[in-house]
Amino acid sequence: SAAQTAPAYNLGKQINAGGWIEDWASASKDRRITLLSGSQPYSDYRIEFQAQIENKAVGWMYRGVNPRNYYVVKIEKLKSGIEPVVAVVRYAVIDGKNERRVETLLPMKVRVDTHYKVRFDAVGSEFAVWVQDQKIDEWRDTRLGSGGVGLYAEGDEIAAIDGTVNVYELVSTR
């Protein structure tokens, strides 16, 4: 069965080598990326944080090879209002260009002031996102094998992070 062949991972050490590097992609005018220093060598990790959308989206970057090649995931308001329409949006940035967006609507009702509990796993070429402890999306992409983790915003997107962003190495139990 699939459950028996799925890789098993334990949380390894927390990755927090040297704090955060602001303006990692400073050459890009409309993107703001804050990189977790020391996270670049890693390929398998879990990101956990809580955040509130202040304007449009809360986003993060993973497998950041350099400021022109990385992946993005966001929790984005597609439609505003008291009960906004919100989706997990993901895409790759390759050679500095955003590729096709994939949107997955959140299945739960949210409000304008919702605090989102986020978990993201990157293991090999497989990725998954949980919001409010529900798996929302999972996918495969083999292009960027390792790279840094960071917070991401573009344009007028603003997020408020509650507490700390925790990043853990994932270690195979095989």
Side-chain angles (χ1 to χ4, degrees):
S1 76
Q4 290 167 325
T5 58
Y9 287 84
N10 288 334
L11 285 184
K13 69 180 185 299
Q14 188 162 357
I15 302 169
N16 58 354
W20 295 87
I21 301 169
E22 303 271 340
D23 296 330
W24 183 65
S26 56
S28 175
K29 307 268 182 288
D30 64 335
R31 301 173 205 245
R32 293 177 311 287
I33 302 175
T34 303
L35 180 76
L36 179 59
S37 176
S39 63
Q40 290 97 325
Y42 292 92
S43 59
D44 299 341
Y45 41 72
R46 172 172 296 165
I47 306 165
E48 293 178 328
F49 63 92
Q50 291 196 34
Q52 199 171 4
I53 297 171
E54 291 193 349
N55 195 48
K56 291 194 180 166
V58 54
W60 62 98
M61 178 274 305
Y62 63 101
R63 298 270 172 96
V65 176
N66 57 50
R68 294 177 53 79
N69 294 281
Y70 51 88
Y71 298 117
V72 172
V73 182
K74 300 184 203 180
I75 299 171
E76 185 176 315
K77 277 187 202 171
L78 302 181
K79 201 172 103 197
S80 293
I82 301 291
E83 289 187 349
V85 175
V86 178
V88 168
V89 176
R90 60 179 165 87
Y91 53 91
V93 175
I94 304 295
D95 293 329
K97 295 184 177 40
N98 290 16
E99 297 202 336
R100 184 179 63 88
R101 288 166 49 107
V102 176
E103 297 177 357
T104 305
L105 292 178
L106 292 186
M108 72 282 294
K109 278 211 178 297
V110 297
R111 294 183 54 82
V112 70
D113 60 352
T114 293
H115 289 254
Y116 296 93
K117 180 182 178 190
V118 176
R119 173 182 149 196
F120 170 81
D121 285 359
V123 177
S125 60
E126 298 184 5
F127 309 100
V129 174
W130 288 258
V131 177
Q132 318 304 54
D133 295 319
Q134 284 188 49
K135 187 186 272 187
I136 305 300
D137 193 10
E138 58 187 328
W139 64 96
R140 294 177 62 88
D141 192 319
T142 57
R143 292 175 291 177
L144 305 177
S146 64
V149 174
L151 298 174
Y152 179 91
E154 61 188 321
D156 55 356
E157 295 172 351
I158 302 170
I161 303 294
D162 304 335
T164 54
V165 176
N166 294 307
V167 181
Y168 301 95
E169 184 179 8
L170 292 176
V171 181
S172 175
T173 57
R174 300 251 148 127

